[in-house]
Amino acid sequence: MAGSSASSEVQEPARAHDDKKVNENMASGVPKQKEEKFKQCFIGSIDQGTTSSRFVIFDGTGTPIASHQIEFKQMYPQSGWHEHDPYELVSSVEKCIEEATKSFISQGHSTADIKAIGITNQRETTVLWDTQTGKPLYNAIAWPDTRTKTIVRELKDRKGASDLQDICGLPLSTYPSSVKLIWLFRNVDTVQKAYDERRLSFGTVDTWLLYNLNGKEKNIHVTDATNASRTMFANLYNIDYDDALLKFFELDRDKIKLPEIVPSSDPEAFGSMASGPLKGIKITGLLGDQSAALVGQCGFSPGMAKNTYGTGCFLLYNVGEKPVISTHGLLATVAYDFGAGRKPVYALEGSIAVAGSAVQFLKKNFGFIDESHKISDLASTVKDNGGHVFVTAFSGLFAPYWIDDAKGTIFGITQYTERGHIARATLEATCFQTKAILDAMEKDSGHALSELAVDGGMSNSDLCMQTQADIIGIPVDRPVMRETTALGAAIAAGFAVGIWKEFDELKEINRADRTLFEPQISMDQSAKMYGKWTKAVEMCKGWLDSSEASDDF
């Protein structure tokens, strides 16, 4: 998910080459006659991620002009549980807006030049609040949380379970919002009471932010198509709540307030800032973070894909205007819906629960490094992984495996093992899972990618991106400006207010000075490495038996 960033100190010019510079502006590439016009248009972008919030102000060429980022508290009350303070999600965003706007003004700009604001957010994370008071009824349950394993197994045995994915695109797992809501019903008395008294409001983080940023008295309660498609409550084909899905999860729509589903780009639906330095400025764009990254990479044509290496790792593949239901362990989701007579665009998605969070684990739990970006330095102290494989199944394994009884497991430890070997194996874990997802996407779509566009914190590591190219056997394409998730939200907002009117106006945005990592090892060597990973995945299954399903230790 969005929200983690790091910069690699490892430089490997022999393994990567820079594309020819197109112009001096790192994020530009728009025609000269339009460039000056675009430089006078500014768009704010709220990027509320899993571990941090940020606010970025872009100009119309896609260049970031000012930004501010704040990390917020991660709460792990029990093993497998992951929560956020709903109030801190809002306050961190507000503080980022305040600080980034100060920087923007200090450069001689005026807030009057900011035409709109977009929002992108961590998906699936679930917030419930009292409709009458606006107060949260429990902490936000974050998307990687696995406390719902027992509920998921129960639901898989319920009549109609096998039909769900064909309707909403998602399989039953601990991932979507639906199972988090059921856990809250069963375990939090105030939630059940609010539901019975018809004063329970449900939302993902986007809905909660909009409700607060608009001022609670306005009672703005909306979500966009990309976020709605992650709840298991919405029909993927008509992008509206589905009675069969709600019935399966035993929800009475008269007792719970679900957000209205609107397009991702809209001039009115999301309201405007109620307070702060940008008071009165309209919010006109909203995308779940992985959809925003696809838009920020300008993945507007079928067959285009991107991989975002954040807290988790998420690969989205544009399949066009008709959903493709995966038969190989992937998710079907809404890529974006820009409204205004345009049809929604869909994607196949491969979701990896643990990516940058594994680096954080080595930092915080093992003390291997004191800064996340130093993972590459540590990994570079050894020439290879030394025969080690780290299956980072902290939340089980997501796509394409969907194994909920796996645990994080390191194979190959001997007296020879060094910290550098574990660091390398940690980076490789994400790369191997990306390979598994690409293989599944080729089977579902019938097409193999010729190149993979990347972004997110871990993509700053040259070592990690070179390893990725080696493992998947195709070039990895990294932009200079890697705030693609925030840029995607800005693009959605800009479309709504007419800064851009056609996708062709964006096709060269953020294209200059990209770095291409070419595979440097043989296909046989790559296949041998991947074979060992596949064996490790098989061996980490079944760590928890059915009697331990509700326990983590």
Side-chain angles (χ1 to χ4, degrees):
M1 307 290 281
S4 65
S5 64
S7 59
S8 172
E9 295 180 351
V10 180
Q11 301 297 324
E12 300 180 74
R15 289 189 162 194
H17 68 263
D18 291 333
D19 290 344
K20 185 178 179 181
K21 290 188 176 182
V22 177
N23 68 45
E24 293 299 317
N25 187 326
M26 72 175 182
S28 189
V30 296
K32 285 291 184 181
Q33 62 267 31
K34 291 186 177 181
E35 188 170 337
E36 288 306 314
K37 171 192 169 185
F38 284 147
K39 283 184 176 180
Q40 304 309 311
C41 298
F42 300 96
I43 309 164
S45 182
I46 295 167
D47 182 353
Q48 200 301 298
T50 309
T51 59
S52 69
S53 299
R54 74 188 79 190
F55 185 68
V56 185
I57 301 173
F58 293 94
D59 70 15
T61 70
T63 303
I65 304 300
S67 66
H68 192 77
Q69 180 177 358
I70 295 174
E71 292 189 355
F72 54 86
K73 185 177 181 181
Q74 306 296 307
M75 292 180 279
Y76 305 100
Q78 298 183 36
S79 178
W81 293 29
H82 190 174
E83 298 178 359
H84 295 149
D85 178 349
Y87 288 120
E88 191 176 10
L89 297 180
V90 176
S91 64
S92 62
V93 165
E94 291 174 334
K95 185 65 175 177
C96 287
I97 292 173
E98 180 183 337
E99 295 300 320
T101 303
K102 284 181 183 178
S103 175
F104 182 71
I105 293 171
S106 73
Q107 297 176 48
H109 302 295
S110 168
T111 57
D113 296 327
I114 298 176
K115 306 302 182 185
I117 295 171
I119 295 177
T120 182
N121 59 284
Q122 54 170 313
R123 306 168 302 170
E124 298 95 16
T125 297
T126 301
V127 189
L128 299 179
W129 62 96
D130 188 314
T131 305
Q132 296 175 359
T133 67
K135 293 181 179 180
L137 297 172
Y138 193 77
N139 283 332
I141 299 182
W143 61 270
D145 187 287
T146 60
R147 73 186 71 186
T148 56
K149 289 195 297 290
T150 302
I151 292 173
V152 170
R153 288 175 181 152
E154 171 196 323
L155 292 175
K156 285 180 178 179
D157 291 332
R158 184 177 289 181
K159 183 180 179 180
S162 61
D163 300 326
L164 298 181
Q165 190 166 0
D166 289 338
I167 302 172
C168 68
L170 307 181
L172 278 168
S173 73
T174 60
Y175 190 22
S177 308
S178 55
V179 294
K180 297 170 175 46
L181 178 58
I182 290 176
W183 185 93
L184 288 161
F185 278 140
R186 295 182 181 182
N187 293 276
V188 183
D189 291 341
T190 54
V191 169
Q192 185 64 55
K193 189 171 188 293
Y195 178 75
D196 292 339
E197 296 176 0
R198 302 171 186 255
R199 53 180 177 82
L200 179 65
S201 286
F202 162 86
T204 42
V205 170
D206 54 308
T207 302
W208 172 246
L209 288 178
L210 286 166
Y211 175 68
N212 284 274
L213 295 177
N214 275 277
K216 294 178 180 179
E217 67 281 356
K218 292 183 182 177
N219 204 23
I220 298 290
H221 196 77
V222 299
T223 189
D224 89 302
T226 67
N227 280 291
S229 70
R230 314 302 296 188
T231 61
M232 293 194 81
F233 299 146
N235 186 303
L236 198 59
Y237 297 87
N238 62 20
I239 314 182
D240 199 0
Y241 294 111
D242 188 277
D243 289 339
L245 294 174
L246 296 176
K247 182 179 180 181
F248 179 86
F249 292 108
E250 299 178 341
L251 288 180
D252 183 343
R253 286 195 67 176
D254 292 331
K255 292 184 176 182
I256 185 170
K257 186 175 183 181
L258 300 173
E260 178 187 359
I261 303 172
V262 300
S264 311
S265 180
D266 192 284
E268 302 294 338
F270 305 118
S272 60
M273 297 294 295
S275 60
L278 302 184
K279 180 179 180 180
I281 295 180
K282 284 188 174 183
I283 302 167
T284 60
L286 173 61
L287 290 160
D289 52 6
Q290 303 313 316
S291 290
L294 182 67
V295 170
Q297 289 272 20
C298 296
F300 299 124
S301 300
M304 299 185 75
K306 67 87 202 174
N307 204 24
T308 298
Y309 301 75
T311 301
C313 185
F314 301 86
L315 201 159
L316 261 67
Y317 178 93
N318 184 327
V319 297
E321 295 176 352
K322 293 183 178 179
V324 173
I325 303 299
S326 175
T327 57
H328 296 92
L330 304 181
L331 311 179
T333 194
V334 178
Y336 54 87
D337 177 6
F338 276 20
R342 303 178 185 91
K343 293 182 179 180
V345 172
Y346 296 90
L348 280 170
E349 176 175 331
S351 308
I352 300 169
V354 176
S357 56
V359 177
Q360 288 290 317
F361 173 79
L362 294 189
K363 172 188 169 185
K364 293 182 178 180
N365 295 54
F366 282 4
F368 279 13
I369 48 178
D370 55 13
E371 297 291 342
S372 295
H373 64 86
K374 293 183 180 179
I375 186 70
S376 294
D377 293 340
L378 179 58
S380 296
T381 61
V382 294
K383 65 178 182 179
D384 55 34
N385 64 24
H388 298 79
V389 177
F390 188 1
V391 183
T392 51
F394 301 159
S395 299
L397 287 171
F398 282 14
Y401 309 106
W402 301 108
I403 304 170
D404 65 2
D405 60 0
K407 284 291 187 180
T409 314
I410 301 175
F411 295 93
I413 295 176
T414 67
Q415 288 182 318
Y416 170 72
T417 301
E418 298 180 13
R419 291 185 304 164
H421 293 129
I422 305 304
R424 263 193 191 264
T426 301
L427 296 177
E428 290 174 356
T430 299
C431 300
F432 286 130
Q433 289 174 86
T434 297
K435 159 72 171 168
I437 288 168
L438 284 174
D439 288 351
M441 283 190 173
E442 182 177 351
K443 293 173 183 175
D444 277 329
S445 67
H447 299 283
L449 283 185
S450 59
E451 187 175 281
L452 181 63
V454 300
D455 52 63
M458 284 179 70
S459 74
N460 289 319
S461 166
D462 285 1
L463 176 62
C464 186
M465 293 301 96
Q466 184 58 54
T467 301
Q468 185 68 88
D470 290 344
I471 289 171
I472 62 178
I474 59 175
V476 168
D477 180 16
R478 184 181 69 188
V480 172
M481 201 290 291
R482 290 162 218 163
E483 296 283 4
T484 52
T485 303
L487 177 60
I491 288 172
F495 258 85
V497 295
I499 293 177
W500 305 287
K501 295 180 174 63
E502 301 295 336
F503 291 131
D504 280 350
E505 297 179 81
L506 293 161
K507 64 183 178 181
E508 295 301 326
I509 205 168
N510 202 19
R511 300 307 303 173
D513 305 337
R514 296 172 77 97
T515 302
L516 202 66
F517 296 86
E518 300 275 5
Q520 297 290 325
I521 66 174
S522 69
M523 292 180 65
D524 286 345
Q525 187 177 351
S526 175
K528 184 178 179 180
M529 294 171 65
Y530 186 62
K532 186 167 285 190
W533 162 264
T534 302
K535 181 179 180 181
V537 168
E538 290 299 315
M539 292 174 68
C540 81
K541 290 180 180 178
W543 184 254
L544 295 179
D545 62 34
S546 58
S547 66
E548 300 168 330
S550 61
D551 299 320
D552 279 302
F553 46 82

